[in-house]
Amino acid sequence: MPNDPEIRVLGTEIVVTGITPKQKECLECISHYISQNGHSPSLAEIGETLSQSAVAIHHKVNSLAERGYLTKSRGKRTLALTRKSKQLLAHLALND
């Protein structure tokens, strides 16, 4: 994915553009939870895991959805990773 505008390699570091480090952390938390539990976490569970308020998590989730990293529907536990987020997370995992 070297041409992906969301990822930049600067020397030996991988820099993700388009999302903040805290949004990236939230996305990784959601991905990990889904892989472990088979469904998405609640906003409260994300907040508890990341030691952040539900309001802060709500803002991060909305921003990630607006940027195309998540989809969400009405109701609880409806967050889903998009292809864009899965590609980003796979790329980051390869370079850890």
Side-chain angles (χ1 to χ4, degrees), residues 36-54:
Q36 295 296 310
N37 298 286
H39 58 83
S40 67
S42 67
L43 297 181
E45 288 168 329
I46 299 168
E48 185 177 312
T49 300
L50 300 179
S51 300
Q52 296 178 22
S53 71

Side-chain angles (χ1 to χ4, degrees), residues 39-71:
H39 58 83
S40 67
S42 67
L43 297 181
E45 288 168 329
I46 299 168
E48 185 177 312
T49 300
L50 300 179
S51 300
Q52 296 178 22
S53 71
V55 171
I57 297 302
H58 180 76
H59 288 294
K60 286 175 187 62
V61 165
N62 283 340
S63 292
L64 288 166
E66 288 171 8
R67 289 176 171 84
Y69 289 97
L70 292 174
T71 60

Side-chain angles (χ1 to χ4, degrees), residues 1-2 7 9 14 86-96:
M1 272 191 241
I7 299 170
V9 179
I14 300 207
K86 290 175 185 177
Q87 289 174 334
L88 174 65
L89 292 168
H91 184 76
L92 293 172
L94 289 173
N95 292 288
D96 273 346

Side-chain angles (χ1 to χ4, degrees), residues 29-31 33-34 39-46 77-79:
C29 174
I30 294 166
S31 175
Y33 189 97
I34 291 171
H39 58 83
S40 67
S42 67
L43 297 181
E45 288 168 329
I46 299 168
R77 300 183 187 277
T78 61
L79 299 175

